[in-house]
Amino acid sequence: MTIPQDERKYSYVDYLAWQEGEPIEIIDGHVFYKTPAPTRKHQQVLRELATEFSLFLRDKECEVFFAPFDVRLLAEKKTDEEVFNIVQPDLVIVCDKKKLDEKGCNGSPDMMVEILSPTSVKVDRWKKYQLYEQAGVKEYWIIDVINEAIEVYYLKNQQYEFNGVFTREDHIEVKSLQGFVIGVNQIFGN
């Protein structure tokens, strides 16, 4: 089935009915198209993040997942027809195993990371920022591969608090994962 172009609100049921492989997300019932193939640098950064988080979490309770991995936000105690927010962040940390099912994550992960692409800047910095804040995602990173910078936000009193912009010479304390500090230089490679 092709993805319709009309203005009605779409749910998780619609999302599941569309062709597999279609790079889309649904935010507040509206379809957002993703870039079909990320850049090489995007993939390198994601690889380094996935490696560092995977190694740290190897013997821990939390799990790391990376795109494509469906996250259904504001979905707790709702049927698939009532779920209007399905995203595929570049990296996701989930510590509550009850939120995981065969389709992905049903509920708010502890942390989400988006790696910007030229077509995703507005969605990642505004739409997803608001959605993740509303959904109660505890930590949100926005990674700018062109400028080699990472913006970090922590949820405090149900609102994101800006923690800073981190560049190659910095280290970031991952608040969602006690004891985990990652060097930004490691993420961007040599």
Side-chain angles (χ1 to χ4, degrees):
M1 173 180 193
T2 12
I3 300 167
Q5 300 294 321
D6 59 13
E7 288 298 314
R8 80 174 184 90
K9 281 184 88 165
Y10 293 97
S11 72
Y12 189 55
V13 170
D14 298 310
Y15 179 86
L16 292 173
W18 295 325
Q19 270 183 306
E20 250 184 66
E22 298 256 9
I24 64 158
E25 295 175 304
I26 298 175
I27 299 174
D28 293 328
H30 301 284
V31 175
F32 288 85
Y33 293 88
K34 292 182 63 103
T35 305
T39 65
R40 183 173 60 88
K41 184 66 175 173
H42 179 285
Q43 291 301 89
Q44 288 169 328
V45 167
L46 181 57
R47 179 192 66 220
E48 292 304 319
L49 279 172
T51 300
E52 293 300 313
F53 277 87
S54 294
L55 289 172
F56 181 80
L57 293 173
R58 180 168 278 164
D59 59 350
K60 311 247 182 334
E61 188 69 23
C62 302
E63 287 190 62
V64 60
F65 300 94
F66 39 93
F69 180 76
D70 288 347
V71 177
R72 291 160 283 161
L73 294 172
L74 305 171
E76 293 86 348
K77 298 179 183 177
K78 291 184 180 176
T79 66
D80 288 349
E81 292 86 6
E82 298 171 310
V83 176
F84 297 104
N85 295 289
I86 306 96
V87 293
Q88 290 187 348
D90 290 297
L91 187 119
V92 179
I93 304 295
V94 181
C95 296
D96 183 352
K97 304 264 190 211
K98 291 179 276 189
K99 293 180 180 180
L100 297 172
D101 60 25
E102 290 305 310
K103 297 176 185 176
C105 180
N106 185 24
S108 297
D110 294 82
M111 179 179 180
M112 303 240 251
V113 176
E114 295 287 0
I115 302 171
L116 297 176
S117 66
T119 59
S120 75
V121 173
K122 188 173 183 177
V123 172
D124 291 342
R125 281 213 163 105
W126 187 240
K127 288 277 189 197
K128 287 185 178 179
Y129 174 97
Q130 290 179 313
L131 174 62
Y132 297 172
E133 181 180 63
Q134 179 187 4
V137 176
K138 297 174 193 168
E139 189 166 347
Y140 180 37
W141 290 13
I142 300 173
I143 299 180
D144 179 343
V145 295
I146 294 169
N147 295 303
E148 295 187 340
I150 302 173
E151 296 171 32
V152 176
Y153 300 89
Y154 299 129
L155 197 65
K156 185 177 180 180
N157 299 323
Q158 300 169 335
Q159 289 190 316
Y160 277 136
E161 185 175 272
F162 179 65
N163 189 57
V165 175
F166 298 85
T167 56
R168 278 190 176 268
E169 63 275 2
D170 299 317
H171 286 77
I172 303 172
E173 177 188 353
V174 183
K175 274 198 172 178
S176 300
L177 303 171
Q178 187 176 13
F180 186 35
V181 176
I182 188 167
V184 175
N185 197 45
Q186 178 66 39
I187 294 170
F188 290 113
N190 298 326

